[in-house]
Amino acid sequence: MKKLMALLCGVLFGTGLMLSGLADPAKVSSFLNLSLLSSGQWDPSLMLVVSSALAVYLPVYLMVVKPRALAQQGPVFESHYHLPTKRVIDAPLVIGAALFGLGWGLVGICPGPAIVNLAQFDLSIILFVTAMIVGGFLGRQLMDVMPVTAHNA
């Protein structure tokens, strides 16, 4: 049942990414490019996607997830919630966020949409996802050589 739910959620997520335009690098780039504000060409439509996600998830988190997590009850198909415990803003977080933002801003592709875009069998997307996997491997290697407190706090 857990795998079936993961499958259904993945289909829901992928369909939402395609329908909302979040999988379209040109649409994402026109949203991220705030210099288009003055010309009236800035595309705010992805703000609706983000706002909708927050409007759905925030009440569910506050009314269901957080109380259950505090009571050490897990979700329906898992033994516990996998919530972040790190509360510090440190160098690896800032550097990682900057690198992620740089990659996202340059090509307009985020990891989730990149995976969804693999369905197009576009060589540039395949190369991007391959490079993303290599970047994940390199990031893991860097984390392994950093002091323990830098990435396990």
Side-chain angles (χ1 to χ4, degrees):
M1 189 56 118
K2 180 178 170 181
K3 289 180 171 73
L4 179 62
M5 286 308 296
L7 180 67
L8 290 173
C9 288
V11 169
L12 180 71
F13 184 72
T15 304
L17 284 173
M18 291 304 285
L19 289 175
S20 68
L22 269 173
D24 179 4
K27 188 168 187 69
V28 173
S29 293
S30 69
F31 171 72
L32 293 174
N33 189 352
L34 296 179
S35 69
L36 297 174
L37 276 170
S38 60
S39 67
Q41 295 179 321
W42 179 67
D43 183 358
S45 61
L46 295 184
M47 189 68 70
L48 178 64
V49 175
V50 173
S51 301
S52 298
L54 284 171
V56 170
Y57 183 71
L58 187 60
V60 171
Y61 175 78
L62 292 173
M63 292 186 297
V64 178
V65 175
K66 188 174 181 180
R68 288 184 59 84
L70 290 172
Q72 297 189 350
Q73 298 172 321
V76 177
F77 298 109
E78 187 63 70
S79 61
H80 65 283
Y81 285 98
H82 301 276
L83 300 174
T85 56
K86 186 176 177 179
R87 301 280 187 246
V88 237
I89 297 175
D90 57 8
L93 174 64
V94 172
I95 293 167
L99 291 173
F100 174 85
L102 180 64
W104 189 28
L106 287 174
V107 293
I109 305 173
C110 193
I115 301 298
V116 170
N117 280 323
L118 282 174
Q120 299 173 12
F121 299 107
D122 179 336
L123 180 60
S124 62
I125 297 295
I126 293 168
L127 291 173
F128 178 86
V129 171
T130 303
M132 189 174 66
I133 292 168
V134 170
F137 174 78
L138 291 174
R140 172 56 56 196
Q141 298 303 308
L142 285 171
M143 287 177 66
D144 288 345
V145 298
M146 294 171 97
V148 175
T149 56
H151 61 272
N152 289 339

